[in-house]
């Protein structure tokens, strides 16, 4: 199976045309922009498209009760723990064509190539994780975290979207569309997990490299916070008597930004979601709800900053009250050293300049790394732009990433044990 390099065996043009076809599902009309929310009709259409391609290649589809889609290339020794390889199909509301999609379609490309070369020893399972992005149902990574046992299905089913739909109901209607597809139990032993992803930053581009062997993912904390004041007439309520939730939010937002960036300049701090009630121009705002995203590569610094932001919220909120809900508390992780070396060796064998780097963005692999050997491969992303319609990768880099993925998978598929 290994006589010719993986490069010549993956079908780069098939991969690219499938990326472009998938990008039509959820296309908003803004050039390059995709809005494919978790468990939406678009998400279901994307899964259906993937199932069609996979069954053509002889892979067997199945869903689990968290909405994860598995496409299995059955090996000669199906009792051996399988390899798992994939990413996610959901996108941010103004997302691009490659975030998540590349990892799923490259995994399908590798499996389809292997299917055409004869049976593998272990089974290879392509996976599309449910709700990685968390833009509709926060926090994200519900599919991979439930698979890995780091969250339970019951609690994620209670998450609600902006319209008040809970994830459980959306999941039931989503899965009902695939009633003919096999259902498999939640979680199963795997021999290793691999994920190809666009870098979503500009290190590879800046260093002229094509392949990134990811050392780990920086730590991340997210919160949902409510600031609770009281509405009043904008023309009559004396300023000194107001409990203006939006003014309190403004004080908090400025104080936190200044504090975290002066404490740790390489911190990533974002307030990306904001709701104001009643959001009427002549009413003093009664409530603000917002979500906060804090990231850092060093665990001690991240914990220190996390405590600082909660303290500053308490200091700046009065005379309003607050409610603080911690959503994600994920320390930095490191990926399997042998897989990292295997990715670099495969890149070298295939003649692609490579480097090791940390992932600033979060990925499902964070959860898989808690239950198995996990590794990630990056390809360059133009100007580091992602979660944006102008997200772009070169077709030859997509093919190179898929070829390296195939090479690493083949080594794992044949390994003993
Ligand atoms: O938030 C993240 O880092 C991921 O792209 N969802
Ligand atoms: Mn992603
Ligand atoms: Mn993303």
């Amino acid at each position: 199976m290994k006589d010719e390099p993986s490069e010549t065996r993956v079908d780069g043009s098939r991969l690219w045309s499938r990326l472009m076809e998938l990008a039509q599902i959820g296309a908003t009309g803004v050039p390059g922009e995709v809005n494919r929310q978790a468990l939406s009709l678009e998400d279901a259409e994307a899964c259906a498209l993937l199932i069609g391609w996979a069954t053509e290649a002889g892979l067997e589809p199945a869903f689990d009760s968290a909405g994860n889609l598995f496409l299995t290339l059955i090996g000669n020794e199906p009792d051996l723990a399988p390899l798992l390889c994939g990413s996610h199909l959901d996108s941010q509301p103004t997302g691009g064509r490659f975030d998540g999609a590349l990892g799923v379609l490259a995994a399908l490309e590798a499996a389809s190539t292997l299917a055409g070369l004869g049976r593998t020893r272990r089974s290879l399972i392509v996976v599309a994780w449910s709700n990685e992005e968390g833009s509709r149902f926060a926090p994200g990574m519900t599919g991979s975290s439930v698979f890995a046992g780091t969250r339970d299905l019951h609690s994620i089913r209670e998450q609600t979207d902006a319209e008040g739909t809970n994830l459980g109901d959306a999941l039931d209607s989503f899965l009902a569309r695939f009633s003919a597809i096999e259902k498999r139990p939640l979680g199963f032993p795997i021999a290793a997990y691999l994920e190809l992803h666009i870098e979503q930053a500009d290190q590879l581009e800046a260093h002229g490299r094509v392949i990134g062997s990811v050392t780990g993912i920086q730590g991340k904390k997210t919160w949902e916070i409510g600031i609770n004041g009281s509405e009043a007439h904008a023309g009559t309520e004396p300023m000194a008597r107001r409990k203006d939730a939006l003014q309190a939010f403004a004080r908090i937002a400025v104080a936190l930004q200044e504090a975290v960036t002066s404490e740790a300049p390489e911190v990533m701090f974002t307030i990306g979601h904001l709701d104001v009630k009643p959001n009427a121009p002549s009413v003093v705002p009664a409530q603000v709800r917002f979500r906060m995203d804090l990231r850092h590569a060093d665990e001690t610094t991240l914990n220190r900053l996390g405590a600082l932001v909660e303290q500053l919220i308490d200091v700046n909120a009065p005379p309003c009250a607050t409610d603080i809900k911690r959503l994600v508390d994920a320390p930095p992780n490191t990926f399997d050293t042998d897989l990292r070396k295997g990715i670099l060796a495969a890149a070298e064998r295939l003649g692609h300049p490579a480097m090791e780097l940390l992932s600033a963005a979060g990925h499902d692999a964070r959860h898989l790394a808690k239950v198995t050997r996990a590794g990630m491969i990056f390809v360059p992303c133009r100007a580091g732009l992602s979660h944006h319609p102008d997200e772009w990768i070169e077709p030859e880099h997509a093919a190179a990433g898929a070829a390296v993925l195939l090479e690493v998978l083949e080594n794992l598929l044949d390994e003993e044990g």
Side-chain angles (χ1 to χ4, degrees):
M1 227 171 12
K2 293 285 295 286
D3 49 355
E4 44 175 325
S6 314
E7 192 82 43
T8 51
R9 285 179 292 154
V10 294
D11 184 338
S13 51
R14 174 172 64 182
L15 172 59
W16 190 258
S17 64
R18 285 178 170 176
L19 277 165
M20 293 304 108
E21 187 172 345
L22 176 61
Q24 293 311 306
I25 301 176
T28 64
V30 171
E33 186 173 87
V34 174
N35 180 7
R36 202 161 50 226
Q37 291 304 302
L39 303 174
S40 64
L41 184 59
E42 293 77 15
D43 195 6
E45 282 176 26
C47 286
L49 184 63
L50 195 72
I51 290 168
W53 286 333
T55 41
E56 271 170 27
L59 278 62
E60 296 185 7
F63 279 98
D64 68 13
S65 48
N68 299 313
L69 172 59
F70 301 98
L71 305 157
T72 302
L73 175 64
I74 297 179
N76 276 327
E77 299 173 53
D79 294 342
L80 286 176
L83 291 186
L84 199 55
C85 179
S87 191
H88 60 94
L89 293 176
D90 65 314
S91 79
Q92 290 289 342
T94 58
R97 292 167 280 189
F98 306 102
D99 175 359
L102 175 66
V104 176
L105 292 183
L108 176 62
E109 183 54 39
S112 307
T113 304
L114 288 167
L117 296 173
R119 304 278 283 201
T120 56
R121 188 157 175 258
R122 293 177 185 278
S123 299
L124 172 61
I125 303 180
V126 173
V127 60
W129 298 113
S130 180
N131 185 33
E132 187 276 343
E133 296 287 9
S135 47
R136 180 186 177 194
F137 296 107
M141 301 190 197
T142 50
S144 54
S145 58
V146 166
F147 177 89
T150 48
R151 266 190 225 143
D152 68 81
L153 184 60
H154 176 71
S155 66
I156 70 153
R157 284 181 62 92
E158 289 171 357
Q159 292 174 204
T160 56
D161 66 10
E163 278 69 50
T165 305
N166 71 23
L167 187 151
D169 294 343
L171 186 54
D172 295 344
S173 351
F174 176 86
L175 289 172
R177 295 174 187 280
F178 299 100
S179 51
I181 302 282
E182 183 205 343
K183 296 296 176 286
R184 63 180 306 163
L186 261 182
F188 47 86
I190 48 181
Y193 174 74
L194 273 172
E195 180 166 356
L196 170 65
H197 205 286
I198 60 174
E199 181 193 344
Q200 297 180 298
D202 58 4
Q203 292 300 302
L204 291 175
E205 189 178 62
H207 291 84
R209 308 294 167 85
V210 172
I211 296 291
S213 179
V214 185
T215 55
I217 301 173
Q218 70 171 338
K220 173 180 176 180
K221 288 179 186 282
T222 68
W223 295 260
E224 172 163 315
I225 293 150
I227 303 175
N228 308 299
S230 48
E231 55 266 67
H233 193 296
T236 60
E237 182 71 1
M239 295 302 280
R241 211 162 63 196
R242 294 182 178 198
K243 291 185 179 178
D244 184 332
L246 195 54
Q247 287 299 323
F249 169 76
R251 290 193 297 275
I252 287 169
V254 169
L256 266 52
Q257 175 94 3
E258 280 171 3
V260 297
T261 48
S262 57
E263 279 281 313
E266 66 290 352
V267 71
M268 298 288 180
F269 174 72
T270 315
I271 296 175
H273 176 96
L274 178 69
D275 267 335
V276 182
K277 285 192 170 50
N279 206 20
S282 299
V283 180
V284 174
Q287 190 192 52
V288 165
R289 297 206 71 78
F290 65 101
R291 291 207 193 119
M292 207 161 61
D293 183 318
L294 183 73
R295 308 195 199 195
H296 199 280
D298 175 74
E299 186 169 5
T300 310
T301 308
L302 182 64
N303 289 336
R304 181 163 51 81
L305 294 176
L308 178 61
V309 298
E310 292 187 4
Q311 184 197 356
L312 286 171
I313 289 167
D314 288 343
V315 164
N316 285 280
C320 298
T322 59
D323 61 83
I324 297 182
K325 186 177 167 196
R326 293 175 186 167
L327 297 177
V328 169
D329 191 352
N333 84 314
T334 49
F335 287 129
D336 180 86
T337 41
D338 291 339
L339 286 181
R340 285 161 48 182
K341 284 182 200 146
I343 291 162
L344 291 173
E348 188 181 352
R349 201 173 101 79
L350 293 168
H352 297 303
M355 63 186 274
E356 286 211 305
L357 75 171
L358 179 78
S359 177
H363 301 285
D364 292 302
R366 183 199 293 283
H367 293 286
L368 277 296
K370 294 169 188 163
V371 294
T372 190
R373 294 176 293 166
M376 288 196 77
I377 303 166
F378 275 174
V379 290
C381 185
R382 187 175 59 194
L385 205 51
S386 183
H387 288 187
H388 189 287
D390 293 348
E391 182 183 276
W392 179 259
I393 62 172
E394 296 305 327
E396 57 272 22
H397 293 167
V404 169
L405 183 68
L406 175 59
E407 182 98 359
V408 176
L409 286 170
E410 280 187 300
N411 295 332
L412 293 168
L413 281 164
D414 294 339
E415 72 179 0
E416 289 305 316

